[in-house]
Amino acid sequence: MPKYDIGEMPAQISSEVVALLEQAETATVGHWRHWGFCDRRIVPALRGRRVAGTAVTVAIPGPDSTLLHHALGLLRPGDILLVDRLGDDRHACWGGGVTVAAKAAGAKAGVVDGPCTDLEEIEASAFPMWSRGFAPITTRLYDLGGRFNRPVSIGGVVVMPGDAVLCDDSGVLVLPPSEAEAEARQAIAKQASGLVTQQRVAEGAKLGDLSGATAMVRR
């Protein structure tokens, strides 16, 4: 096997579908879907951001970030870079320099299944970033190898290059491209109906009556 396993850049999710996804909330989709949600411990560094885009995948081992640096030069506007750390929870592969490179390439966000570093620089860049928190020990260019645009594991979810990715304050959701539009439209419709319900409750209606829960209990 080669040290570096390099795949092609995937087809990108259409701008129309991305726009729909960015109107949807991961927690809304969570009302009916049970798969595709990354571990809840992968959280945003910046609050109040909702971004969607095309998955570009990297898998790099422990203390090494050689392939990550290479991958940054291949990112396109609209991509979201997802980094599989192969179980490492000690070394931060993503910091201020990587953030600047990803933002300059036009990437929408980064998702790391491990720690990052340089929170202050990430905040200053206003670049949306999800990770398992922060650590002071960083990776180096050790040339240990890795995989690019191959299937990876991010928070227990298998991510394929070209998948649709939706990230917000509640977490990270990965969808097959063929399912992304339908899921987004269903979420948007449910959110609209939810606002109507909230208004009725604010005006005095009982949530249990509207949802049917009270009828269930009384039965």
Side-chain angles (χ1 to χ4, degrees):
M1 290 290 293
K3 181 187 294 186
Y4 293 101
D5 182 7
I6 308 296
E8 299 293 326
M9 292 296 288
Q12 290 189 293
I13 306 297
S14 73
S15 58
E16 293 78 12
V17 172
V18 168
L20 287 170
L21 283 169
E22 290 184 340
Q23 297 176 60
E25 300 174 14
T26 59
T28 302
V29 181
H31 279 80
W32 61 83
R33 194 177 181 97
H34 296 278
W35 49 88
F37 296 93
C38 298
D39 190 309
R40 65 181 179 83
R41 286 166 287 193
I42 297 178
V43 297
L46 308 179
R47 299 298 301 273
R49 310 302 174 91
R50 185 185 304 141
V51 295
T54 302
V56 172
T57 62
V58 174
I60 49 176
D64 182 43
S65 57
T66 307
L67 184 57
L68 174 60
H69 283 214
H70 171 71
L72 291 164
L74 300 174
L75 290 177
R76 308 157 298 185
D79 288 337
I80 294 180
L81 185 59
L82 295 100
V83 185
D84 181 349
R85 296 297 284 115
L86 303 173
D88 183 88
D89 193 49
R90 179 175 174 81
H91 302 89
C93 70
W94 192 300
V98 172
T99 298
V100 169
K103 185 174 182 177
K108 299 287 289 289
V111 179
V112 177
D113 193 356
C116 293
T117 195
D118 297 336
L119 174 59
E120 184 175 352
E121 293 177 55
I122 292 173
E123 289 177 334
S125 75
F127 184 76
M129 186 70 223
W130 280 256
S131 72
R132 290 184 182 269
F134 290 83
I137 303 174
T138 65
T139 53
R140 307 286 192 277
L141 302 184
Y142 289 134
D143 193 24
L144 297 180
R147 306 184 80 202
F148 177 63
N149 279 330
R150 300 298 191 198
V152 297
S153 175
I154 303 293
V157 174
V158 175
V159 183
M160 304 295 292
D163 278 348
V165 184
L166 173 61
C167 310
D168 63 15
D169 281 346
S170 295
V172 177
L173 171 62
V174 179
L175 296 166
S178 62
E179 300 176 21
E181 180 175 354
E183 293 288 68
R185 290 189 183 278
Q186 185 175 347
I188 293 167
K190 184 172 182 61
Q191 287 161 199
S193 66
L195 291 175
V196 173
T197 298
Q198 290 176 28
Q199 182 61 36
R200 292 181 64 186
V201 171
E203 293 170 351
K206 303 302 183 183
L207 180 59
D209 292 337
L210 298 179
S211 69
T214 297
M216 293 179 186
V217 172
R218 287 174 176 170
R219 283 201 299 270

